[in-house]
Amino acid sequence: MSQELRAVAWTGTGLALIDQTVLPHRTETVDVRDVDTLVDAIRRLVVRGAPAIGAAGAYGVALALLQGAREGWTETEVRAAVARVREARPTAVNLMVCVDRVMTRFPEGLDAVLEEAAAVQREDVEANRAMGAHGADWLLQRIGGERPLRVLTHCNTGALATAGWGTALGVVRELHARGRLEVVYADETRPLLQGSRLTAWELTQEGIPHYVQVDGAAAGTILRGEVDAAIVGADRIAANGDTANKVGTVGVALACADAGIPFLVAAPTTTVDLATKTGDDIHIELRGEDEVLEWAGVRTAPAASRGHNPAFDVTPGRLVTGLVTERGVLEVSKGELPGERLG
């Protein structure tokens, strides 16, 4: 089912976005026909995952053109609306890259913009398929033996987070297709539970055996030898291999380093930001404190408590065993840096 799943789909007059805030209990779509609705959907995580946000942003240029035509906007007003889409989530570089790419066709009109947005979406699916194969090949060669692998992942990196198939979860799906996957440990991913709500839902659709575990269990699971490798996605990768991903990722990387098992980052080359030299230069989005001070709308912390809610953390490149892109695998911790190999 998830092989055909499309988190972002152009309907001809707007976007249909799978509402990831209500999964797994309900499967609903949000009809997006204006820029305000799209910006809100990106910020509220109706659509989430760097590649999926990039695809939504690419089509956001078309939305701005259509809305501008309906409401009599000037070109300046249309461009301002596109800029709002581009800036909706600051950490995920794919959003900016994809919007900028589609804007190169802006002077040619709506048809050209839609053509470029469709290319963005198509190329992401193709890149994900290639990543899955490269990552599975690398893991099977690196770990060796004939037994199926036990894999840990964090957050959601599947079809829901991309234009289709998935990045880190694409590697998992490829291992499963080859009969070389025993089980997946899916971190629940606090505070919004993308692992338990979304990754577990996708794994269930595929019939892939898995456990959902609290984020705090990940290090212990790794150090007890219950995991052969961890595979995560990324929202931005610096030229030196430092990687911003969903908060909690760096703890997984540290545990993998101590246990001596591979820690893989799977992401398309559009996630690599060569203009960002190190992780110190990556802007970390701080989300609303209610996400950590409340549970289902009910306050769980004392009234006087303040919430610290970074959406991402940065894993140093020295902890990244391999970076899987559609071009192959870079062994970052051994000095194969994105800035030198992907520039």
Side-chain angles (χ1 to χ4, degrees):
M1 178 177 176
S2 59
Q3 182 172 344
E4 300 176 357
L5 191 68
R6 290 292 181 266
V8 178
W10 182 254
T11 64
T13 56
L15 280 171
L17 304 177
I18 293 177
D19 188 347
Q20 299 186 37
T21 67
V22 299
L23 285 170
H25 305 297
R26 305 193 306 276
T27 303
E28 299 177 359
T29 58
V30 174
D31 184 23
V32 179
R33 294 174 183 264
D34 60 75
V35 169
D36 283 348
T37 304
L38 178 58
V39 170
D40 177 68
I42 293 172
R43 289 177 176 166
R44 286 197 303 113
L45 309 187
V46 168
V47 59
R48 43 144 302 282
I53 294 172
Y59 283 113
V61 180
L63 278 179
L65 280 167
L66 286 170
Q67 186 176 358
R70 289 196 308 270
E71 300 181 14
W73 290 354
T74 65
E75 180 178 329
T76 299
E77 288 173 320
V78 174
R79 288 181 179 273
V82 171
R84 290 181 54 226
V85 173
R86 187 183 186 276
E87 296 161 6
R89 290 203 76 189
T91 302
V93 71
N94 301 61
L95 175 58
M96 303 166 196
V97 168
C98 292
V99 169
D100 290 347
R101 171 177 166 178
V102 173
M103 282 299 289
T104 64
R105 305 289 302 278
F106 184 84
E108 301 173 56
L110 179 62
D111 288 346
V113 163
L114 285 171
E115 180 181 54
E116 198 66 24
V120 166
Q121 195 167 31
R122 181 181 65 253
E123 290 168 16
D124 185 61
V125 176
E126 293 169 352
N128 291 343
R129 291 280 190 169
M131 261 184 277
H134 290 314
D137 288 343
W138 188 92
L139 279 172
L140 294 173
Q141 292 168 6
R142 173 71 175 257
I143 295 173
E146 295 299 322
R147 68 172 178 81
L149 302 184
R150 304 160 301 168
V151 173
L152 182 146
T153 191
H154 188 76
C155 198
N156 174 257
T157 57
L160 288 169
T162 64
W165 188 251
T167 55
L169 210 58
V171 179
V172 169
R173 295 174 72 186
E174 180 68 20
L175 289 169
H176 177 65
R178 297 185 190 187
R180 298 298 303 275
L181 182 69
E182 178 181 330
V183 69
V184 176
Y185 290 88
D187 290 354
E188 64 176 352
T189 321
R190 295 284 180 172
L192 297 180
L193 307 180
Q194 293 98 323
S196 60
R197 292 190 305 105
L198 306 179
T199 296
W201 183 79
E202 290 200 50
L203 293 170
T204 298
Q205 306 307 308
E206 294 288 322
I208 296 176
H210 63 278
Y211 297 106
V212 175
Q213 64 179 1
V214 299
D215 293 0
T221 300
I222 292 166
L223 293 177
R224 283 194 303 272
E226 298 179 22
V227 172
D228 298 303
I231 314 174
V232 303
D235 287 83
R236 187 183 296 241
I237 300 168
N240 72 337
D242 292 352
T243 298
N245 192 49
K246 179 55 60 181
V247 68
T249 300
V250 69
V252 172
L254 287 165
C256 287
D258 191 81
I261 67 170
F263 174 82
L264 290 187
V265 174
T269 52
T270 52
T271 305
V272 178
D273 182 9
L274 298 181
T276 298
K277 300 304 180 185
T278 75
D280 292 338
D281 301 321
I282 297 176
H283 174 81
I284 298 300
E285 174 189 352
L286 287 176
R287 293 184 59 79
E289 62 180 6
D290 287 349
E291 289 179 355
V292 296
L293 298 177
E294 296 181 356
W295 182 257
V298 178
R299 181 100 178 177
T300 56
S305 296
R306 298 172 60 191
H308 180 56
N309 188 18
F312 307 93
D313 56 27
V314 176
T315 299
R318 67 178 183 276
L319 300 177
V320 178
T321 314
L323 168 59
V324 186
T325 75
E326 68 273 23
R327 301 183 191 178
V329 181
L330 295 181
E331 297 195 3
V332 178
S333 61
K334 292 185 177 179
E336 295 183 352
L337 304 183
E340 298 172 359
R341 299 301 181 96
L342 299 178

